[in-house]
Amino acid sequence: MPQISLDGLSPTNFENLCFDIIRGMAFQNPTWRTPGADGGRDIEAWRTTVDPTFFSNQEKWFIECKRYNTAINWPTIHEKIAHAEALDADYLLLMTTSSASPTSIDRIKAWNALNKRPRVRFWGSHDILAHIEIRNELILKYGLGGARADTFSFSGVSLEMAKIISTIHSLSHFRRDTTTALEYANALARCWTERVSQVQNSGAFFSFPKDLATGDFTEIFSISDRRQLGRGELLSILWVSFVIEKRPLHVSVSDDKLSLSLTGNELQIVMNTPSNKAIAFIAGSELSQSGDKLIIGEMQYA
């Protein structure tokens, strides 16, 4: 199997990869801080811990993401510690493509032994790769290699397709309209096929071009400001219509993102439906909520 590598990542994409790793872990509200003196961006995040008496505690984490070509020396790490200490962080996590020098490793252990804040954690390339290896979506999003169509898991999509087929059968049996289910199934199959092709040809995902006319879907949704959609955007809209059993939906466009006005109950269904992540992954979409609106944005691939 091809090896996963961080070597081809630009500094910005490496920072974005680190943010995605942190966002997928047990952290709350990860946010970017302003660039530091070295030009790199840092992440601030919170983590809740619970002790045996069920008392919860909030930990403030400061995470620095930066590419280095050589082992990081102790003065550099100590400077990062001082910066995190000034920001009142409980923990400092250094994420880098390099490693810590032997002296740095010893000094980090000595610092942590003093039980001073911030406690220091260090992730070199080996640690980062260990987290990426179990996150296929990151391998494909950043084109890191190591992804093959025959090993890539589409289990979530397979289950969703089975559900659609069962739904279509039931609707047909009771002579109910199958338009939305059929269009959704077709859109999912086309996206799935294209994604498999992308993995086979390049080992990475790419954005879909916005070249699909929407005139054939007026029964399901109407859209303002734009007449053409990307394949993933179309899939996302049809999925929403399918899971909340509602049509026609009204879709508006702002800052190149799609916006759907839904009720509170409909938003809850969309955000908590088990197929949410699988469909967003295949579609290349990022779902978020803003008031009574569902926002469909596009994932930015490396």
Side-chain angles (χ1 to χ4, degrees):
M1 184 173 179
Q3 293 297 308
I4 301 172
S5 174
L6 304 176
D7 295 340
L9 287 175
S10 68
T12 298
N13 280 334
F14 176 70
E15 292 169 350
N16 291 336
L17 170 64
C18 292
F19 188 89
D20 281 339
I21 292 173
I22 293 300
R23 188 164 55 175
M25 300 177 66
F27 289 97
Q28 294 94 41
N29 304 318
T31 55
W32 286 114
R33 295 188 60 86
T34 56
D38 59 4
R41 290 187 298 169
D42 305 314
I43 303 168
E44 182 181 298
W46 294 84
R47 181 174 179 269
T48 303
T49 60
V50 181
D51 68 18
T53 66
F54 301 103
F55 179 81
S56 63
N57 181 56
Q58 288 285 320
E59 298 172 347
K60 182 179 181 180
W61 284 67
F62 188 74
I63 302 141
E64 171 151 323
C65 324
K66 190 169 177 63
R67 293 176 57 93
Y68 288 93
N69 295 321
T70 58
I72 306 175
N73 59 35
W74 173 247
T76 299
I77 294 176
H78 191 264
E79 181 183 345
K80 310 297 183 186
I81 293 174
H83 183 51
E85 188 176 21
L87 293 169
D88 198 31
D90 296 299
Y91 284 85
L92 168 66
L93 171 59
L94 299 170
M95 300 179 70
T96 175
T97 53
S98 182
S99 60
S101 69
T103 300
S104 296
I105 293 173
D106 292 339
R107 297 297 292 271
I108 289 173
K109 290 179 179 178
W111 173 273
N112 287 332
L114 296 173
N115 202 29
K116 296 175 66 175
R117 296 172 62 244
R119 305 297 297 272
V120 181
R121 301 291 183 261
F122 186 94
W123 278 4
S125 59
H126 178 78
D127 304 287
I128 294 173
L129 289 172
H131 281 80
I132 293 173
E133 285 173 353
I134 59 174
R135 301 277 302 278
N136 273 319
E137 73 276 15
L138 297 184
I139 296 174
L140 293 165
K141 178 177 180 179
Y142 291 96
L144 301 177
R148 297 192 324 214
D150 57 341
T151 58
F152 179 58
S153 173
F154 284 103
S155 58
V157 179
S158 300
L159 289 173
E160 184 67 6
M161 189 64 79
K163 176 183 175 181
I164 302 171
I165 293 171
S166 177
T167 299
I168 292 173
H169 178 269
S170 297
L171 292 173
S172 299
H173 180 75
F174 291 103
R175 300 182 183 279
R176 294 176 58 190
D177 185 49
T178 60
T179 301
T180 301
L182 285 170
E183 292 291 0
Y184 170 44
N186 182 57
L188 178 56
R190 287 177 176 271
C191 276
W192 190 357
T193 302
E194 180 62 25
R195 291 305 192 196
V196 171
S197 176
Q198 289 178 353
V199 175
Q200 288 175 331
N201 293 331
S202 63
F205 277 5
F206 300 97
S207 298
F208 294 117
K210 293 180 173 60
D211 57 2
L212 298 179
T214 60
D216 294 335
F217 305 98
T218 53
E219 289 186 36
I220 303 173
F221 67 89
S222 62
I223 185 168
S224 62
D225 302 325
R226 196 204 296 168
R227 294 185 177 274
Q228 292 184 315
L229 295 172
R231 195 177 299 282
E233 291 177 317
L234 175 62
L235 172 60
S236 298
I237 296 170
L238 294 174
W239 170 75
V240 171
S241 179
F242 178 77
V243 297
I244 66 174
E245 300 181 11
K246 179 180 178 179
R247 68 180 201 192
L249 299 174
H250 177 68
V251 183
S252 58
V253 183
S254 177
D255 296 328
D256 213 35
K257 293 183 178 181
L258 306 181
S259 173
L260 288 76
S261 295
L262 304 176
T263 67
N265 184 56
E266 290 167 347
L267 279 168
Q268 195 168 32
I269 292 172
V270 168
M271 300 307 293
N272 295 317
T273 295
S275 58
N276 178 319
K277 291 183 179 180
I279 297 303
F281 179 41
I282 294 300
S285 60
E286 294 183 328
L287 305 181
S288 60
Q289 183 179 340
S290 177
D292 63 348
K293 296 184 183 299
L294 175 70
I295 308 300
I296 303 175
E298 281 193 285
M299 185 176 293
Q300 299 301 309
Y301 295 104

